[in-house]
Amino acid sequence: MKVIVTENKIQGGARAFEIFEKEIRNGAKVLGLATGSTPETLYQSFVASDLNCENLISINLDEYVGLKPDNPQSYHYFMQKHLFDKKPFKKSYIPDGMTKDVAATCKAYDQIIKEHPIDLQLLGIGRNGHIAFNEPGTPFDIGTHEVKLTENTIKANSRFFDNEDEVPKSAICMGSANIMQAKKIILMAFGEKKAKAIKEMIEGPVTEDVPASILQKHPDVTVILDTAAAQELDDKYKN
Ligand code: PGA
């Protein structure tokens, strides 16, 4: 994995954008996108740029089950607000959290990814090493699936809701098998709360207990950190 340490999340977002822009100019057409606080500075860079996204396809990692697209906490809403309203894409896929048939929706999402192989996948990481909603213990070899969220994740997400009871208890999420098929991956992490997960992802064993550790087996991963998220990482991994 290539590790880039920047001073703060603004610079980290700008650095990630440089890579996205280069890949798009070199022909990348399908972007795997993520939500959460981490990618916000990257999306700000997209919006501030003159990059035209109208020929691009986006495929998002996940969506809560039970939230309508116009719910401000849904990932549909997040993407509209932070990116698509200002930079419309040719087509944007996000799992349908309101589906009546979650299994069929997961299967159809796998098919979408198969038909539109992801050129560049963006990821954040959870404090427990999760990627998307792939929590510790999730098998590495699965595709899009429904995830029951852990107490830790529900707690971490509750900051976006009025109270913890309103946080959805499950999500539809791309699996590690989908993510690993992306041609190129960028994982971003900012803040000291991510430092342990980053160390385990890069220095630790590849184990389903740390879902992000599977990325050690991908041939083209760039990790963009700020100094706080990089603080536990051995210097030899920083380049
Ligand atoms: P965050 O979440 O970007 O809001 O920190 C990332 C994640 O939990 O995957």
Side-chain angles (χ1 to χ4, degrees):
M1 287 190 229
K2 181 175 181 199
V3 178
I4 297 171
V5 182
T6 60
E7 260 173 51
N8 54 45
K9 63 183 178 182
I10 310 236
Q11 287 186 11
R15 188 72 187 83
F17 178 70
E18 279 172 24
I19 299 173
F20 269 88
E21 198 177 27
K22 181 169 164 226
E23 292 297 317
I24 292 164
R25 295 210 195 283
N26 286 340
K29 286 270 177 267
V30 183
L31 308 185
L33 297 181
T35 53
S37 42
T38 305
E40 284 182 10
T41 52
L42 165 64
Y43 296 152
Q44 282 160 14
S45 295
F46 261 90
V47 168
S49 76
D50 60 2
L51 188 70
N52 184 345
C53 297
E54 285 169 0
N55 290 320
L56 301 176
I57 290 172
S58 65
I59 304 182
N60 260 75
L61 286 168
D62 45 17
E63 178 58 288
Y64 288 116
V65 171
L67 294 192
K68 293 192 181 132
D70 61 357
N71 183 314
Q73 301 308 332
S74 76
Y75 290 165
H76 278 80
Y77 190 95
F78 177 100
M79 291 307 300
Q80 279 305 132
K81 179 175 160 201
H82 290 276
L83 189 61
F84 300 148
D85 277 348
K86 291 141 195 153
K87 288 277 173 192
F89 279 50
K90 180 163 125 194
K91 176 84 189 150
S92 291
Y93 296 99
I94 302 178
D96 175 11
M98 294 304 291
T99 178
K100 297 231 164 14
D101 186 343
V102 172
T105 298
C106 291
K107 208 168 155 209
Y109 211 66
D110 280 343
Q111 188 59 29
I112 289 166
I113 298 164
K114 202 169 157 196
E115 284 167 15
H116 305 287
I118 294 172
D119 293 306
L120 181 51
Q121 175 68 55
L122 173 66
L123 297 173
I125 185 171
R127 294 174 215 177
N128 62 3
H130 72 214
I131 39 174
F133 279 121
N134 293 288
E135 302 285 6
T138 308
F140 280 146
D141 60 355
I142 56 172
T144 308
H145 58 288
E146 183 178 12
V147 181
K148 305 286 174 208
L149 306 183
T150 64
E151 281 307 311
N152 274 345
T153 297
I154 291 170
K155 263 200 172 55
N157 286 346
S158 66
R159 68 188 192 277
F160 300 118
F161 292 82
D162 287 341
N163 66 62
E164 210 173 301
D165 292 342
E166 286 179 22
V167 186
K169 304 297 180 287
S170 76
I172 295 172
C173 171
M174 275 165 55
S176 298
N178 304 115
I179 291 166
M180 289 295 282
Q181 276 168 15
K183 285 188 205 133
K184 183 176 183 72
I185 295 175
I186 296 180
L187 184 143
M188 299 165 74
F190 305 124
E192 64 181 352
K193 288 189 179 129
K194 301 291 173 74
K196 182 169 163 282
I198 288 297
K199 185 180 179 67
E200 288 176 354
M201 170 181 84
I202 294 174
E203 298 181 15
V206 176
T207 164
E208 288 171 352
D209 293 338
V210 181
S213 65
I214 187 72
L215 299 177
Q216 290 179 27
K217 293 195 176 293
H218 191 283
D220 189 352
V221 177
T222 302
V223 181
I224 299 181
L225 307 172
D226 64 358
T227 43
Q231 68 188 350
E232 291 192 30
L233 204 54
D234 193 295
D235 280 344
K236 74 172 185 243
Y237 294 100
K238 300 175 191 168
N239 42 22

